[in-house]
PDB file of all heavy atoms in Angstrom:
ATOM      1  N   ARG T   2     181.016  46.590 121.308  1.00 98.00           N
ATOM      2  CA  ARG T   2     179.563  46.551 121.197  1.00 98.00           C
ATOM      3  C   ARG T   2     179.154  45.184 120.674  1.00 98.00           C
ATOM      4  O   ARG T   2     179.837  44.606 119.831  1.00 98.00           O
ATOM      5  CB  ARG T   2     179.059  47.608 120.212  1.00 98.00           C
ATOM      6  CG  ARG T   2     179.202  49.009 120.695  1.00 98.00           C
ATOM      7  CD  ARG T   2     178.686  49.996 119.678  1.00 98.00           C
ATOM      8  NE  ARG T   2     178.841  51.354 120.209  1.00 98.00           N
ATOM      9  CZ  ARG T   2     178.872  52.437 119.477  1.00 98.00           C
ATOM     10  NH1 ARG T   2     178.724  52.352 118.157  1.00 98.00           N
ATOM     11  NH2 ARG T   2     179.014  53.616 120.037  1.00 98.00           N
ATOM     12  N   ALA T   3     178.006  44.727 121.152  1.00 98.00           N
ATOM     13  CA  ALA T   3     177.441  43.476 120.643  1.00 98.00           C
ATOM     14  C   ALA T   3     175.960  43.676 120.407  1.00 98.00           C
ATOM     15  O   ALA T   3     175.239  44.130 121.295  1.00 98.00           O
ATOM     16  CB  ALA T   3     177.665  42.346 121.633  1.00 98.00           C
ATOM     17  N   ARG T  10     167.392  30.046 113.815  1.00 98.00           N
ATOM     18  CA  ARG T  10     168.572  29.561 113.094  1.00 98.00           C
ATOM     19  C   ARG T  10     169.323  30.753 112.531  1.00 98.00           C
ATOM     20  O   ARG T  10     168.728  31.790 112.232  1.00 98.00           O
ATOM     21  CB  ARG T  10     168.197  28.573 112.006  1.00 98.00           C
ATOM     22  CG  ARG T  10     167.395  29.145 110.872  1.00 98.00           C
ATOM     23  CD  ARG T  10     167.037  28.076 109.833  1.00 98.00           C
ATOM     24  NE  ARG T  10     166.285  28.640 108.739  1.00 98.00           N
ATOM     25  CZ  ARG T  10     164.964  28.802 108.732  1.00 98.00           C
ATOM     26  NH1 ARG T  10     164.253  28.430 109.779  1.00 98.00           N
ATOM     27  NH2 ARG T  10     164.362  29.328 107.683  1.00 98.00           N
ATOM     28  N   SER T  12     173.221  31.503 110.141  1.00 98.00           N
ATOM     29  CA  SER T  12     174.407  30.923 109.511  1.00 98.00           C
ATOM     30  C   SER T  12     175.227  32.002 108.823  1.00 98.00           C
ATOM     31  O   SER T  12     174.732  33.087 108.510  1.00 98.00           O
ATOM     32  CB  SER T  12     174.017  29.846 108.490  1.00 98.00           C
ATOM     33  OG  SER T  12     173.288  30.430 107.433  1.00 98.00           O
ATOM     34  N   GLY T  26     169.384  29.660 119.256  1.00 98.00           N
ATOM     35  CA  GLY T  26     170.414  30.297 120.050  1.00 98.00           C
ATOM     36  C   GLY T  26     170.468  31.787 119.815  1.00 98.00           C
ATOM     37  O   GLY T  26     169.437  32.441 119.650  1.00 98.00           O
ATOM     38  N   VAL T  33     184.380  46.363 117.438  1.00 98.00           N
ATOM     39  CA  VAL T  33     185.517  46.725 118.294  1.00 98.00           C
ATOM     40  C   VAL T  33     185.925  48.156 117.984  1.00 98.00           C
ATOM     41  O   VAL T  33     185.973  48.563 116.819  1.00 98.00           O
ATOM     42  CB  VAL T  33     186.707  45.766 118.043  1.00 98.00           C
ATOM     43  CG1 VAL T  33     187.908  46.152 118.891  1.00 98.00           C
ATOM     44  CG2 VAL T  33     186.299  44.324 118.294  1.00 98.00           C
ATOM     45  N   ALA T  62     173.586  30.857 128.974  1.00 98.00           N
ATOM     46  CA  ALA T  62     174.263  30.111 130.032  1.00 98.00           C
ATOM     47  C   ALA T  62     173.287  29.179 130.750  1.00 98.00           C
ATOM     48  O   ALA T  62     173.653  28.059 131.118  1.00 98.00           O
ATOM     49  CB  ALA T  62     174.900  31.075 131.029  1.00 98.00           C
ATOM     50  N   VAL T  70     178.934  34.052 116.473  1.00 98.00           N
ATOM     51  CA  VAL T  70     179.598  35.346 116.634  1.00 98.00           C
ATOM     52  C   VAL T  70     180.144  35.800 115.286  1.00 98.00           C
ATOM     53  O   VAL T  70     180.886  35.060 114.628  1.00 98.00           O
ATOM     54  CB  VAL T  70     180.746  35.260 117.668  1.00 98.00           C
ATOM     55  CG1 VAL T  70     181.489  36.581 117.765  1.00 98.00           C
ATOM     56  CG2 VAL T  70     180.191  34.844 119.032  1.00 98.00           C
ATOM     57  N   PHE T  74     182.278  45.500 112.051  1.00 95.00           N
ATOM     58  CA  PHE T  74     182.852  46.827 112.288  1.00 95.00           C
ATOM     59  C   PHE T  74     181.828  47.942 112.087  1.00 95.00           C
ATOM     60  O   PHE T  74     181.953  49.024 112.655  1.00 95.00           O
ATOM     61  CB  PHE T  74     184.088  47.058 111.407  1.00 95.00           C
ATOM     62  CG  PHE T  74     183.781  47.333 109.966  1.00 95.00           C
ATOM     63  CD1 PHE T  74     183.631  48.629 109.510  1.00 95.00           C
ATOM     64  CD2 PHE T  74     183.668  46.291 109.060  1.00 95.00           C
ATOM     65  CE1 PHE T  74     183.356  48.894 108.172  1.00 95.00           C
ATOM     66  CE2 PHE T  74     183.403  46.534 107.727  1.00 95.00           C
ATOM     67  CZ  PHE T  74     183.237  47.837 107.283  1.00 95.00           C
ATOM     68  N   GLY T  78     179.795  52.529 112.966  1.00 94.00           N
ATOM     69  CA  GLY T  78     179.553  53.516 111.921  1.00 94.00           C
ATOM     70  C   GLY T  78     178.852  54.740 112.484  1.00 94.00           C
ATOM     71  O   GLY T  78     178.052  54.655 113.411  1.00 94.00           O
ATOM     72  N   THR T  87     180.817  57.170 108.459  1.00 95.00           N
ATOM     73  CA  THR T  87     182.264  57.117 108.662  1.00 95.00           C
ATOM     74  C   THR T  87     182.551  55.964 109.616  1.00 95.00           C
ATOM     75  O   THR T  87     181.725  55.643 110.478  1.00 95.00           O
ATOM     76  CB  THR T  87     182.802  58.449 109.227  1.00 95.00           C
ATOM     77  OG1 THR T  87     184.207  58.306 109.441  1.00 95.00           O
ATOM     78  CG2 THR T  87     182.138  58.828 110.533  1.00 95.00           C
ATOM     79  N   ILE T  89     185.475  55.774 111.441  1.00 96.00           N
ATOM     80  CA  ILE T  89     186.625  56.213 112.225  1.00 96.00           C
ATOM     81  C   ILE T  89     186.672  55.563 113.605  1.00 96.00           C
ATOM     82  O   ILE T  89     187.747  55.244 114.105  1.00 96.00           O
ATOM     83  CB  ILE T  89     186.632  57.753 112.341  1.00 96.00           C
ATOM     84  CG1 ILE T  89     186.881  58.367 110.973  1.00 96.00           C
ATOM     85  CG2 ILE T  89     187.666  58.235 113.340  1.00 96.00           C
ATOM     86  CD1 ILE T  89     186.684  59.861 110.904  1.00 96.00           C
ATOM     87  N   GLU T  95     193.588  44.562 112.152  1.00 96.00           N
ATOM     88  CA  GLU T  95     194.691  43.912 112.869  1.00 96.00           C
ATOM     89  C   GLU T  95     194.575  44.068 114.386  1.00 96.00           C
ATOM     90  O   GLU T  95     195.112  43.261 115.146  1.00 96.00           O
ATOM     91  CB  GLU T  95     196.056  44.397 112.371  1.00 96.00           C
ATOM     92  CG  GLU T  95     196.236  45.888 112.269  1.00 96.00           C
ATOM     93  CD  GLU T  95     195.681  46.514 110.992  1.00 96.00           C
ATOM     94  OE1 GLU T  95     195.238  45.821 110.073  1.00 96.00           O
ATOM     95  OE2 GLU T  95     195.687  47.755 110.947  1.00 96.00           O
ATOM     96  N   ILE T 101     188.212  39.930 118.908  1.00 98.00           N
ATOM     97  CA  ILE T 101     187.065  39.076 118.582  1.00 98.00           C
ATOM     98  C   ILE T 101     187.397  37.637 118.968  1.00 98.00           C
ATOM     99  O   ILE T 101     186.578  36.928 119.562  1.00 98.00           O
ATOM    100  CB  ILE T 101     186.698  39.160 117.083  1.00 98.00           C
ATOM    101  CG1 ILE T 101     186.277  40.581 116.697  1.00 98.00           C
ATOM    102  CG2 ILE T 101     185.627  38.130 116.722  1.00 98.00           C
ATOM    103  CD1 ILE T 101     184.946  41.033 117.224  1.00 98.00           C
ATOM    104  N   THR T 117     181.499  30.747 114.508  1.00 98.00           N
ATOM    105  CA  THR T 117     181.943  32.078 114.100  1.00 98.00           C
ATOM    106  C   THR T 117     181.828  32.268 112.595  1.00 98.00           C
ATOM    107  O   THR T 117     181.724  31.297 111.839  1.00 98.00           O
ATOM    108  CB  THR T 117     183.417  32.334 114.493  1.00 98.00           C
ATOM    109  OG1 THR T 117     184.253  31.415 113.783  1.00 98.00           O
ATOM    110  CG2 THR T 117     183.623  32.187 115.988  1.00 98.00           C
ATOM    111  N   GLY T 118     181.872  33.543 112.232  1.00 95.00           N
ATOM    112  CA  GLY T 118     182.045  33.898 110.835  1.00 95.00           C
ATOM    113  C   GLY T 118     183.530  33.798 110.521  1.00 95.00           C
ATOM    114  O   GLY T 118     184.302  33.221 111.278  1.00 95.00           O
TER     115      GLY T 118
END
Side-chain angles (χ1 to χ4, degrees):
R2 290 180 180 159
R10 66 181 181 274
S12 64
V33 178
V70 176
F74 75 92
T87 178
I89 293 170
E95 49 278 354
I101 298 289
T117 64

